[in-house]
Amino acid sequence: MVRDYRQLHDPNAEYTMRELSADTMGLAAKRGGGRDVSITDVQTTMIDGNFPWTLVRIYTDAGIVGTGEAYWGAGVPELIDRMTPFLVGENPLDIDRLYEHLIQKMSGEGSIAGVTVTAVSGIEIALHDLAGKILDVPAYQLLGGKYRDEVRVYCDCHAGDESEPDSNAAEAERVVEELGYDALKFDLDVPSGEEKDRANRHLSDREIEHKVEIVEEVTDRVGDRADVAFDCHWSFTGGSAKRLAARLEEYPIWWLEDPVPPENHDVQREVTQHTSTPIAAGENVYRKHGQRRLVDQQAVDILAPDLPKVGGMRETRKIADLADTYYMPIAMHNVSSPVATMASAHVASAIPNSLAVEFHSYQLGWWEDLVEESVIEEGSIEISEAPGLGLTLDLDTVSEHMVSGEELFDEA
């Protein structure tokens, strides 16, 4: 897609974002392009979506506010409150330094993995939105520029009866024809009626054949119009995963996701190298250090980090760079609101090896109402040239869908 990039320098350009008033941007300019801007507060509000989304806002003495999002998890808002004193008075442009500062200060809470990294991720995304607004550039520019103007989105689909192959196939056809997606994902860790003991993770031959039937029906119905992946939610043993992947080799599968639990990378590598069926994983591994073995050992064909969980935008960029040294593509896992979805899209635009970004809320009618801008159109996200993430929260919608007991954060 070709654009007139002169609009980026047009002094008469209009933005719909409340945070970008002439007064606040003028104040930032007077302060030396943002070098004198200081963080004054960090606030959170949790949204009751199809997941509990934790929205994060960082306030400054220049009146400019950055918005981010942390992956859902119990205790995330409390952890962000705990980190706020480490940020107040700091310059929001020092994103890398502040990120490392938080990781070090939160070591006692466990900043190698888990909800502490998730909480840091939400802050880091808000810092990118804030820095972009201060510098008057889109967030992708802070990551080195972009490779693409639009980012492909794959729709995580759920049929009425996910155990029925025809039900999945019918939903696949509907999403392609009515919603315009050309990339889909369905679950395979669904009951087959043959389970004896799901706790042991073993698949019988009959269970495998049931899953093959789902794949066959879906790919037969839409395989010439859409790429289709299938998610196992790390439900099977290594042996069962190998047998399932082998049976699926004849079908045009985009990837088979998380067939085994995420802890043992050796088993993950064995499954991947045992089959020609593409294997994806990575959503449950934290930071670049956690992803390193998956990449170095080529334990996956496709890496699937979750940006507001793994460490944020620059950490995901670093993970993508690591994967690119092995010519490994990135398909970002994403169950977020429009905020972290757009953050993922900015990173996907700035890395060479992006396949797609997940969308998990197509059945939630008010998802896009959380922001004033359009986000997903015909299965893709057009990367905004507005500063920061390019989104404006609709605070009325945020207030309407807050988790019970939450308080709305301050206006910009």
Side-chain angles (χ1 to χ4, degrees):
M1 179 182 296
V2 178
R3 279 202 189 83
D4 181 3
Y5 288 98
R6 291 171 296 179
Q7 65 180 314
L8 297 177
H9 307 289
D10 181 359
N12 298 315
E14 295 181 358
Y15 298 107
T16 63
M17 304 162 68
R18 285 192 294 263
E19 293 89 345
L20 294 178
S21 69
D23 290 341
T24 58
M25 292 307 298
L27 178 56
K30 291 178 182 178
R31 289 173 171 267
R35 287 311 308 174
D36 293 330
V37 175
S38 296
I39 295 171
T40 59
D41 195 15
V42 183
Q43 298 179 14
T44 63
T45 296
M46 189 176 291
I47 306 299
D48 188 13
N50 52 327
F51 294 91
W53 304 314
T54 301
L55 300 184
V56 183
R57 282 201 135 178
I58 298 179
Y59 297 80
T60 67
D61 60 359
I64 306 173
V65 178
T67 302
E69 179 181 349
Y71 186 92
W72 61 280
V76 170
E78 291 79 7
L79 285 166
I80 292 174
D81 286 344
R82 169 92 169 81
M83 286 184 269
T84 297
F86 306 138
L87 294 168
V88 170
E90 295 285 355
N91 189 304
L93 295 180
D94 297 331
I95 298 175
D96 276 2
R97 181 178 64 81
L98 293 178
Y99 174 83
E100 293 297 335
H101 181 57
L102 294 178
I103 293 294
Q104 292 171 8
K105 296 294 286 187
M106 299 299 288
S107 60
E109 286 80 357
S111 55
I112 293 175
V115 292
T116 303
V117 174
T118 293
V120 174
S121 301
I123 291 171
E124 196 263 9
I125 295 168
L127 287 172
H128 275 86
D129 186 43
L130 181 53
K133 292 173 181 176
I134 292 171
L135 299 175
D136 198 20
V137 296
Y140 72 77
Q141 199 67 61
L142 302 173
L143 301 168
K146 63 180 176 178
Y147 285 85
R148 52 193 66 85
D149 293 319
E150 291 183 349
V151 170
R152 193 181 189 193
V153 175
Y154 74 89
C155 186
D156 189 295
C157 302
H158 297 277
D161 185 349
E162 294 183 302
S163 297
E164 288 296 326
D166 184 67
S167 181
N168 287 281
E171 181 65 355
E173 193 162 43
R174 186 187 76 83
V175 171
V176 169
E177 292 181 352
E178 297 182 12
L179 304 184
Y181 287 91
D182 65 358
L184 316 173
K185 186 168 76 175
F186 285 86
D187 292 344
L188 278 189
D189 60 323
V190 295
S192 65
E194 298 289 342
E195 293 86 354
K196 301 298 188 294
D197 184 352
R198 297 195 72 179
N200 63 29
R201 303 184 185 277
H202 177 74
L203 288 174
S204 69
D205 287 344
R206 290 188 297 276
E207 289 175 275
I208 287 177
E209 289 309 309
H210 171 258
K211 299 181 191 314
V212 171
E213 289 174 12
I214 293 175
V215 171
E216 184 173 39
E217 286 276 354
V218 172
T219 55
D220 279 355
R221 194 79 64 90
V222 300
D224 60 339
R225 292 174 286 166
D227 291 315
V228 188
F230 294 89
D231 197 342
C232 302
H233 293 109
W234 41 285
S235 299
F236 311 132
T237 65
S240 293
K242 290 178 187 177
R243 289 164 47 230
L244 174 62
R247 276 291 286 115
L248 295 176
E249 288 178 348
E250 64 184 278
Y251 299 98
I253 293 177
W254 203 10
W255 69 74
L256 187 67
E257 186 170 327
D258 285 328
V260 296
E263 301 93 342
N264 192 323
H265 289 186
D266 294 331
V267 176
Q268 180 73 62
R269 183 188 67 248
E270 289 180 14
V271 171
T272 298
Q273 296 182 356
H274 187 268
T275 180
S276 61
T277 298
I279 304 295
E283 69 177 87
N284 290 298
V285 183
Y286 293 84
R287 304 184 65 210
K288 64 183 180 183
H289 304 287
Q291 304 274 348
R292 181 182 61 82
R293 283 191 64 203
L294 288 177
V295 176
D296 285 349
Q297 297 186 9
Q298 299 181 68
V300 294
D301 297 299
I302 298 166
L303 201 60
D306 190 298
L307 186 149
K309 180 180 186 180
V310 75
M313 296 177 70
R314 291 182 68 80
E315 193 75 358
T316 302
R317 170 64 200 250
K318 293 172 185 177
I319 290 166
D321 288 343
L322 178 63
D324 197 44
T325 63
Y326 286 84
Y327 317 118
M328 184 182 293
I330 301 291
M332 287 187 218
H333 183 265
N334 174 59
V335 297
S336 305
S337 84
V339 175
T341 300
M342 185 60 78
S344 296
H346 272 273
V347 174
S349 75
I351 60 176
N353 48 338
S354 173
L355 282 183
V357 172
E358 183 175 13
F359 175 50
H360 209 291
S361 305
Y362 78 113
Q363 295 173 320
L364 192 67
W366 52 267
W367 182 86
E368 198 160 274
D369 295 340
L370 283 171
V371 295
E372 295 181 5
E373 296 79 11
S374 177
V375 179
I376 301 174
E377 294 287 347
E378 293 294 314
S380 66
I381 297 174
E382 183 174 332
I383 305 303
S384 172
E385 298 300 329
L389 296 180
L391 296 179
T392 309
L393 283 181
D394 185 311
L395 295 182
D396 290 336
T397 304
V398 171
S399 178
E400 180 182 354
H401 295 286
M402 289 189 304
V403 170
S404 178
E406 286 287 296
E407 293 184 4
L408 185 65
F409 30 48
D410 293 342
E411 294 249 11

